[in-house]
Amino acid sequence: YIRVRLQRPGGEERRDIVRGTKAAEFHNHIFEKVNPEMEKLGFECKCLGGGKIEHNSKDKKIRVFGLSTGYGKADHSVTVEILKKVYTDYEITWSDDKK
């Protein structure tokens, strides 16, 4: 996954989003997909780092860990707070473990 900061050009309001997909081999592939979509909506994008997410929908558990070689490690505690807004009935944990 990557965490991306969205901001309108010249604006002060910022919003962070979390994006990821199994289809992306590397973190920059996720950014290359998200960035043009957000630019069409009038946002500037900045990648704040990344990591990995294990999503177990059967047990309703999400684990956030690892880092991005290209973008560095995102602040997983912030990522978890973003995920909790969507996955309200999940157990969501994070660690600095690499695996």
Side-chain angles (χ1 to χ4, degrees), residues 26-39:
F26 298 106
H27 289 100
N28 65 310
H29 296 156
I30 303 169
F31 189 76
E32 288 166 5
K33 183 175 186 321
V34 170
N35 191 41
E37 293 172 3
M38 294 297 113
E39 285 182 341

Side-chain angles (χ1 to χ4, degrees), residues 11-86:
E12 292 190 21
E13 187 178 338
R14 300 186 280 188
R15 179 176 182 181
D16 291 357
I17 62 172
V18 174
R19 293 293 181 265
T21 175
K22 285 184 180 181
E25 187 176 356
F26 298 106
H27 289 100
N28 65 310
H29 296 156
I30 303 169
F31 189 76
E32 288 166 5
K33 183 175 186 321
V34 170
N35 191 41
E37 293 172 3
M38 294 297 113
E39 285 182 341
K40 282 182 202 166
L41 298 173
F43 291 102
E44 293 177 338
C45 299
K46 179 182 179 188
C47 185
L48 301 176
K52 294 181 172 56
I53 293 178
E54 283 180 354
H55 183 166
N56 182 330
S57 55
K58 182 176 161 265
D59 294 336
K60 292 192 173 193
K61 291 184 178 183
I62 294 176
R63 178 177 167 243
V64 181
F65 64 101
L67 56 88
S68 164
T69 305
Y71 295 117
K73 185 179 84 67
D75 184 336
H76 298 325
S77 65
V78 174
T79 299
V80 166
E81 292 308 310
I82 294 169
L83 292 172
K84 283 181 177 179
K85 293 176 186 174
V86 177

